[in-house]
Amino acid sequence: MTERVNRFVLCTSGDSVKVYSTRTEEWLHSLQGHTNQVTGIALNRANHLQVYSCSADGTVKLWDFIDGILIKTFIIGYPLFAIYVSEKHDGIVFLHIAMDTDSKNECFQLVAVHLPKSAEQEVEAKELSAVSSRISPNPSCTAFGREGQYIAFARHLQLNVYFFRKQKTYSFSLKATDKKGAKNAFTCIACHPADDCIATGHEDGKIRLWRNFIHTKEYTYSTQHWHHNAVNTLCFTPEGTNLLSGGIESVLVQWQYGAGNRKEFLPRLGGSILHVSTSSDGQLFCTSHSDNKITVIESSFKVCGVIQGLVKGDAVLTDLMIDPRSKALVLNGKPGHLQFYSLMRDKHLYNLDIVQQEYIYEAGLDQFEVVKAAFDINGYWLATVEERGQKSSDLEFVLKLWAYDERTQSFVLNTTITAAHTDRIISMCFSSSEETTMLVTTAEDGQFKAWCQGADADTQQDQSFWSCEFVGSYHNLKPTNCSFSADSSLLAVNFQEVITIWSPDTWELLTTLCQPPGVVRDLCFGRLSCSKYLIATTTRNLLCCWNLLTCALEWSTSVEVSKLQPDPLSENVAAFSYQSKHTDLFVFKPSEPRPLFTHKNMCSEKIHRAVFVPREEPLNNCDESSQWLNRSQLYFLTQNMDLLTFSTATEEDRMLSSSKRLVIDDSVAVTPFYLLLGKHRQQQQKLNTPSHPAADKPQQPQGSVTITELLHTPAHVLPAASVLCSMLVSSLLISNTGVRKDPLREMESSEQEMNSEKEEEHSEEEMEACDSQQELRAQGSVDEVTPKLSKAQERELKRIRKTDFSWMTGLIDSKP
Amino acid sequence: MGEFKVHRVRFFDYMPSGIRALAFNGDTERMAVARMDGSVEIFHCSDRFFQEKIIPGREQCGIEGLSWVGERLFSAGLNGGITEYDLTNQKVKYTIDAYKIPWYTFLVGCEDGTVKLFEVNEDKIQFERNLDRQKSRIVSLSWHTSGSKIAAGMMDMIQIFNVETGHSIHRMLADRGVGTSRSKECVVWSVVYLSDGTIVSGDSVGMVKLWDDQTGTLIKSHNVTKCDVLALSVSQNEDSLVAGTSEGTVVQFQFVSMVLGKDDKEWVRTRTFKNHTHDIRAVAEITTAVVSGGMDAQLVVKPLLDKIEVRSAASALRKIHFPHRRLVFCARNSGLMLFQYPGHLELWRLGESEGKGSSLFVKRNPEKLLHLKVKGEDHIRCSAVSPCGEWIVYSTASSLRLYRLHYQRFLFLFFQISKLPKVLSSANQLCFSSDSSHLFSASTQSSVHIVSLSQSGCKFVGTLKPKSGSHQAIHLLAASEDGEWLASANSDHEVHIYNLQTRKAHCTVPVYSSAVTAMGIHPTTNCLFMMYADQQMCEYSIEQKQYTDWSRTVQRKGLHRLWMERDTPCLNVMFNPQNPSHVILHDTYMLCIIDQSLPLPDDKTQFYNQLTLKSLTEDQRKSHSHAFKVCKTFKDILCVELISDQSLVVVERPLEDVATQLPAPIKQKKFAT
């Protein structure tokens, strides 16, 4: 559900309402506070800077959406499913609530709730009055008419119009089926803002315009038909000159009101259109799509902005992957595309068109889909497999290899292999060594092939294309999975029950491992210190771990594993087990039979896709249960296409505190005085947070930190050379100011500051430098010669340079 | 129930003619329909659209417009004449030459660009004067209700004339449309002048435009179709407007208030009906329905559900394909068939078959014996063949011709009887007595002339005149098997029974509100069996001069709902000589045998029960069976006749065959093709 004001677009997202800017398409903030799914939003007609939201948690909240402040909470007490307001009914909201009788039948009723006027933050609204019980569960099947004089709602084949003044309902029914097999059920409703005309959308794609609906007999309607499938949404422009409609075709249709069938189209908007809304001045339209997208459209019918979330396709056929370059999550996006999604910024980066064919939005067509994708370790190569005809017998598939082009910052098609195998490709992986990139594919034709980028002797070109290097098979069995060891010295390919280990250098079959019964479902090598282990899961609920040095089974356990995911940055392996209708998560090290972490009954769906996302900076978690999350974060995708992740308690705290800080930041103007005062306060806040990110960090490289830092800082943010010069000199001096502290703690704190203040560092460096300069100059005469600095001294120096001198303000303050 | 050998005849290539104009008379609830071949038909709208009267056309007589003045009907044709029709005698009254008239009577727009004004007198119309002559031809005309202004649709423009002065007040230009070539002019096919001063026009660009007659400006335009808007019609209270297009769609516009409860109304396009495959040349909005007709020769009555109080069989969608008259006649005793086409007659001999089973092997193919072209320009009004097959008679509006056939084994003799009595100059309906000795010819003033036929010639015997003194023409005649009785039905719904022995009127069946569509006299009981347009049936005992007990039972118990909901009238009544209680009826879609000995069905019993009966045992069948046995094997039936060797002749004219003979419709893009 989207609702827009000229400058902002509001949309519900889970248990929050997100506010986006229409100009920059940036996410501004979320209105958080509901404890369950937000089911509807509606602008407050009395105050156009406020918005009502209703949620399944039984509350209606009133927000100031520009500042993101919760103004009021009205407790209704029933789960709410939709909200409507009208300018005529001040202080009243109309809500969909489920009928008490039976939730199975999806009986909903429309109630009017009088919102009590009270100063309190939380108010209980108990004045409910039922308007009608003939309500469709679809919230778009209810709409307010001209000036809020009547409300129109439809359910199945019946349209009802309730006039508030007369307190009378008029009902109009359509036939269940037309002679021509048309499906007449109502799907959405919109009312004209100035005329008494109700537009209804129908399942067969027709749009009817109803008039004269105060007569039960002499009512009339005209029918227009363009959509070939159900009309999902209808919306009149605020002046009522146009009617907008959208459906699965992903074409926004603008019907000229009163001009019969004159219409304009805006095609190829992406997924099917779910909602359309217009800004209050009619300048902008926006559509929300089934693929998690909001399109902002000018009234001249041009797309002027796209707000894209994680693209929700029909199914994720590829694995979840991480682009090693951008650290973006990569998976199926738009049909025929791979999407790159930044998890850090929660922002869709771009779609990579793999199939490069126009997608036809029509049900039942067999079209090319990306089914497999893999990155090499550097993110320089991307291999994709697209397939068509999964259901029918004539399968078509294409293996494509894409090279990263530094210049255009995107992937460019390098090689297309149309007949890579004679049958479907089941899995593929790149070798994990940095020197040579090699791709191994396994297919249902009983072979696995190794592909290499070979310089073709015939074509003396700069580009080198991929070609097949080796074809391997084993007793005509069907290979399913392949995996390279961490150093790429071994390749494991499993042929049903048998796991074969090959040497990629000589293509020699080194050994076979077998642990019947059960076909191997998933296999992976251990990482880092556990790289000598090979872990495999079988269909007969067995999780096995082999020691490759001894070629013997190290341990095995009986557990039904649906997904096995190794962490590339640690030894940890995550296993999702699906048993008795819920999924459990185990995280273990191959070397230890005892799991590091277990989470029982995590969710009720089966998990098939998961990925470890490396953190930008590792966490330092002493808590044993969350240590495995220190280096990377685990994301997994449920069958409902929800992307979930594990986070630690500290992270959540930090997120909360950062949001608080944001609020303070905005409220106080940035003045030099603030920099002196406010910064001190922030630091205290930060010290209170129990995160210790520095502890786990690998040791700083040897050498002068100051100089390396100087060299690493971009020139344009550095202070003037004269300042730097004196700073450099002064850094070579030993100071004796300050209280002596335990050196270890000092080091810690200084580094922590350094990390946490990276952002502010540059802006304030100059000032700090001046401070320290002054101080050092004063002390310069005490110790003159310092031939060589110990490491501890150096750190000390750095600490001083970085130390915040805001305590001085305290001194100043205390001075009378 | 009785088994019959059925001759399934499909070689009657009857082609209904396209509909050119419609005119509705709200006072009498009659709809006049003009066809391409110049014939005019009168339908009774409140009597289930029964075709009451047919005035046959002439060669080269294209009618362009029809209009009622009171109860008088006028038409204007391309041959340049205005014609008034004599509706009681179903013939053309007179024709006045007005030079090249395309449209509308007594106010006539001419191809040469003049609008001629005629005055309607008591018995004639008289030319009054010309309005200003225009350069282009006038295609359509419409009066304002005040009678002071006339709107005329022309090429590329509409003009408003002041009737008093005869001068043009406004010229309104219709644009030629986007995408079409500049040189192709826009024809304003029809205009309607509303009483509030709005002029509605439909043109060849596919637009319905609303103009203001005060300022002569365009108020609103609706793009209705990509092709032409050929016809417009407004309802009597002017709140609804229908437009017929050459795509075969009828588009309705309604005068609806945009804000409920306020008076500012606008014309809004509402419904679209698609019941035609070809051009719609004429539409008319009557009180409860939209009637449309076009090149596909069907008259479609689309009920407007919002105007109907009670939904019933009378208010269903109705498509009239075939005339409600018999066009096929059988010589019962000799296996000959006479097909009546507008301009000629065909005589065929039925084929013979052998073997047994559900479909028989044809031993001898049917054979066309005779192709008789009409002398003169008039079309055939009625025809008949005698039961023995020796006599053929037909009548046009102006003449009646009687022929004698004589054929031995290889010799086929055919000659016209030259000396006819003077009374046989023209006939409205013709009928032979069952022994082929007499010809009955229905004439003016509901009288019937009797002519005795013999080898030597024919001789006028006498005239039967009804006591009521009705002037309406007779449309049905039925003679009894024993030659004693003759029944005649006329358009006033009167049925007269004459005694042929005394040549005097015997009695009159009580007048029923609906028209008689078929009747027959029972060969043994001499009861007159009548079918009415509202699907009621009556049996009247001629000897006792009263309804029979069975008929009274039917009236008391009522007929089954499904029977009443059929939408085509019964066209023939026959009696099974083997079983006197069997009455055979047919309409366009079914053949029905009524067994008068069985109980009547009520609304709860299953009406079409043949299949259920088959599955039951002999004993159970008795309790389940009822009087109506319906056979739906045959479709699009024109005629069913029982011939002497206990076999039925079923003449079908499949609508698909009719459709293939029509010109190709406008090609339309259909979704997903």
Side-chain angles (χ1 to χ4, degrees), chain A residues 365-381:
Chain A
L365 291 183
D366 200 3
Q367 301 184 66
F368 270 113
E369 263 300 342
V370 185
V371 291
K372 295 277 182 299
F375 282 99
D376 78 332
I377 195 142
N378 301 322
Y380 187 71
W381 289 101

Side-chain angles (χ1 to χ4, degrees), chain A residues 641-687:
Chain A
M641 294 284 297
D642 294 324
L643 187 68
L644 304 175
T645 186
F646 269 94
S647 64
T648 57
T650 53
E651 273 179 301
E652 279 186 4
D653 287 348
R654 203 171 49 169
M655 266 159 69
L656 266 178
S657 67
S658 74
S659 66
K660 259 184 212 152
R661 195 186 65 206
L662 258 170
V663 174
I664 297 161
D665 274 354
D666 293 348
S667 57
V668 182
V670 186
T671 57
F673 203 63
Y674 162 72
L675 286 176
L676 284 172
L677 292 170
K679 205 171 159 242
H680 187 60
R681 208 185 307 154
Q682 273 176 40
Q683 206 143 52
Q684 276 179 336
Q685 257 178 15
K686 258 184 221 152
L687 284 169

Side-chain angles (χ1 to χ4, degrees), chain A residues 146 163 194-196 211 213-214 217-218 220-223 228 257-258 261, chain B residues 220 222-223 254 256-260 268-271 305-306 308-309 671:
Chain A
R146 173 179 60 92
F163 285 84
D195 289 350
D196 283 320
R211 286 191 180 83
F213 38 80
I214 47 165
K217 240 178 173 350
E218 278 148 41
T220 178
Y221 60 79
S222 55
T223 312
H228 67 70
Y257 175 72
N261 44 15
Chain B
K220 195 153 190 190
H222 293 271
N223 189 3
Q254 278 175 292
V256 170
S257 57
M258 299 311 280
V259 176
L260 293 174
V268 174
R269 179 185 169 167
T270 54
R271 279 165 283 204
L305 294 177
D306 52 339
I308 292 165
E309 300 300 321
F671 179 68

Side-chain angles (χ1 to χ4, degrees), chain A residues 6-27:
Chain A
N6 301 339
R7 283 162 51 217
F8 304 101
V9 183
L10 284 82
C11 72
T12 64
S13 159
D15 58 357
S16 65
V17 178
K18 287 189 173 174
V19 183
Y20 291 92
S21 158
T22 55
R23 298 221 180 111
T24 61
E25 299 126 41
E26 285 293 321
W27 170 61

